[in-house]
Amino acid sequence: ISFQFNRHKKTPSIGSHSSDMASVSGSVLSVYSGDFGNVDAQGTVEFALDYDEKNREFQVHVSQCKDLAVVDEKKGRSDPYVKTYLLPDKARMGKRKTSVKKRTVNPIYNEVLRYKIEKMVLLIQKLNLSVWHNDPLGRNSFLGEIEIDLASWDWSNRKLNWYLLKPRSLSVVNGVDHRGVMSLSIKYVPPGSLGKWPKNPPSGEVHIWVKDVKDLLQLRPSGVDSFVKCYVLPDTSKKSYQKTRVIKRDTNPVFNHTIVYDGFHTEDLKDACVELTVWDHEKLTNHFLGGIRLGLGTGLSYGISVDWMDSTQEEVAFWQEMMLAANEWIEGLLPLRSLLVGEVSRK
């Protein structure tokens, strides 16, 4: 099914559409996988941090762990490995992992995990280092973690130090990561609701007014150059794709931008989903910051199972309120979240 974007319809008091239509695609994958609850975190990890100025490389020297939790109590064993991420955007730099050491709670690694990254960018990151039991037949088990704020790290300290492994915080276990909040309004105009003859509008219209976003992730020292992309799924064609202008160096951008989609029948509202994603614009690529999906969250679209029909309770309630109040602007304040958009390349 295709929904036609109406680029000529403007509301002066709200704002006009941008005309540049750059193609952007991205992949955001889940960074939390494993069993967090079955084993209590215990033990220590020894590592050192260094930055190689010549090669512009951040290095994590993982030495060893001691007194880790036992995962398989019957066999009295754990098969541990160490994993690192740079926060706040795990997906951007990716994870690094040591080798797996089998049948030990006191593994010795002596391995270096490396990140090619500029020092100024590194200084606004946090290092998340976690220890896991490797289970090739099931889910890996979390054994403990340590988090280091690299902005306050003493870079003259290149010695190996011991750190106590801590349990994972509840917010991380639940996948809650604050990515900002979007202020927006939406409205549905049914066909013929503004005039019977001639029929006005000739087909149903969904109006989306992106007002602003507060408290975006900052991935670079220079700030955030953000813009919002919009699709009405299942249509991922260029007709469906729209975006706002780029707001430079602002973690609280004001867009004040409206988009109007026509070609709707009222019954389409239960099968369609408005996907709004926020991106940090750079010359070579764009980095995903967060998004929302407005729909009924049923997991189905026109009888077909789809992964993008995954709206949260807040997003579903917002969409339902629009469906019940034709021709009225419905105001909302919705938290941005991680979205699995890697399966469908939105161009």
Side-chain angles (χ1 to χ4, degrees):
I1 187 162
S2 175
F3 302 109
Q4 178 65 50
F5 169 70
N6 185 345
R7 72 170 63 242
H8 302 294
K9 186 155 187 167
K10 298 180 180 180
T11 308
S13 62
I14 294 174
S16 62
H17 306 293
S18 56
S19 58
D20 48 334
M21 298 286 288
S23 175
V24 186
S25 65
S27 177
V28 180
L29 303 176
S30 172
V31 293
Y32 297 119
S33 60
D35 186 346
F36 294 100
N38 290 347
V39 182
D40 291 331
Q42 69 175 59
T44 55
V45 58
E46 185 185 41
F47 64 91
L49 304 182
D50 194 12
Y51 186 78
D52 184 339
E53 299 279 358
K54 183 179 178 181
N55 294 311
R56 296 178 179 177
E57 185 177 76
F58 175 50
Q59 300 171 349
V60 184
H61 300 253
V62 181
S63 173
Q64 59 183 317
C65 299
K66 278 189 177 179
D67 302 321
L68 295 176
V70 175
V71 174
D72 190 336
E73 293 185 2
K74 290 183 179 179
K75 297 180 180 178
R77 66 178 281 185
S78 292
D79 297 343
Y81 67 95
V82 175
K83 178 169 66 174
T84 61
Y85 282 109
L86 290 178
L87 304 175
D89 190 358
K90 285 181 163 75
R92 184 182 187 186
M93 293 300 297
K95 65 186 173 186
R96 305 288 189 272
K97 296 194 295 185
T98 66
S99 57
V100 175
K101 303 299 180 183
K102 294 190 175 181
R103 300 179 182 85
T104 179
V105 293
N106 299 297
I108 297 174
Y109 298 101
N110 291 324
E111 297 179 34
V112 181
L113 307 179
R114 304 172 188 273
Y115 290 86
K116 288 287 188 181
I117 186 171
E118 295 289 340
K119 184 71 172 286
M120 288 298 291
V121 177
L122 184 64
L123 292 179
I124 60 170
Q125 312 285 315
K126 289 183 180 179
L127 171 69
N128 178 272
L129 183 147
S130 54
V131 185
W132 296 78
H133 162 72
N134 180 63
D135 183 356
L137 300 178
R139 294 168 68 86
N140 296 337
S141 296
F142 174 78
L143 300 178
E145 72 175 359
I146 180 74
E147 205 162 278
I148 303 289
D149 188 346
L150 299 177
S152 56
W153 180 255
D154 178 9
W155 293 98
S156 66
N157 175 18
R158 297 182 176 89
K159 296 179 181 178
L160 290 166
N161 291 292
W162 286 98
Y163 298 88
L164 187 66
L165 289 169
K166 300 177 181 179
R168 180 144 281 183
S169 67
L170 185 62
S171 63
V172 174
V173 173
N174 292 334
V176 176
D177 53 340
H178 183 71
R179 292 174 171 268
V181 180
M182 179 180 289
S183 173
L184 74 162
S185 292
I186 54 175
K187 175 172 65 172
Y188 176 60
V189 181
S193 61
L194 302 181
K196 298 298 183 183
W197 187 264
K199 191 177 183 182
N200 181 26
S203 65
E205 296 177 348
V206 170
H207 296 233
I208 303 150
W209 177 4
V210 180
K211 298 177 181 179
D212 59 59
V213 180
K214 294 283 196 299
D215 202 19
L216 280 175
L217 289 177
Q218 181 171 329
L219 306 181
R220 296 174 287 137
S222 58
V224 183
D225 297 344
S226 63
F227 68 98
V228 179
K229 292 199 298 184
C230 183
Y231 284 94
V232 176
L233 305 175
D235 188 0
T236 58
S237 69
K238 288 185 177 180
K239 290 180 179 179
S240 174
Y241 171 53
Q242 266 298 301
K243 68 169 188 158
T244 69
R245 68 190 186 283
V246 175
I247 305 296
K248 293 191 174 183
R249 294 181 293 279
D250 196 343
T251 55
N252 300 295
V254 176
F255 295 103
N256 205 29
H257 183 102
T258 58
I259 302 167
V260 179
Y261 289 94
D262 59 19
F264 271 92
H265 299 288
T266 302
E267 58 268 25
D268 290 324
L269 297 178
K270 70 180 188 298
D271 292 297
C273 173
V274 172
E275 181 185 82
L276 292 161
T277 52
V278 186
W279 299 78
D280 185 17
H281 176 67
E282 291 192 70
K283 287 183 179 179
L284 298 178
T285 186
N286 297 298
H287 298 287
F288 175 79
L289 297 176
I292 60 176
R293 288 195 177 121
L294 307 178
L296 293 185
T298 59
L300 297 173
S301 176
Y302 298 98
I304 299 170
S305 178
V306 291
D307 57 2
W308 45 259
M309 190 63 94
D310 64 347
S311 299
T312 65
Q313 287 184 336
E314 286 178 281
E315 293 164 351
V316 170
F318 188 49
W319 190 250
Q320 286 177 327
E321 190 175 353
M322 180 202 72
M323 293 173 65
L324 294 171
N327 295 310
E328 291 184 24
W329 283 109
I330 307 301
E331 296 184 5
L333 199 62
L334 296 173
L336 300 178
R337 58 186 176 97
S338 299
L339 298 178
L340 291 174
V341 298
E343 296 299 320
V344 181
S345 198
R346 317 257 196 253
K347 295 184 178 179

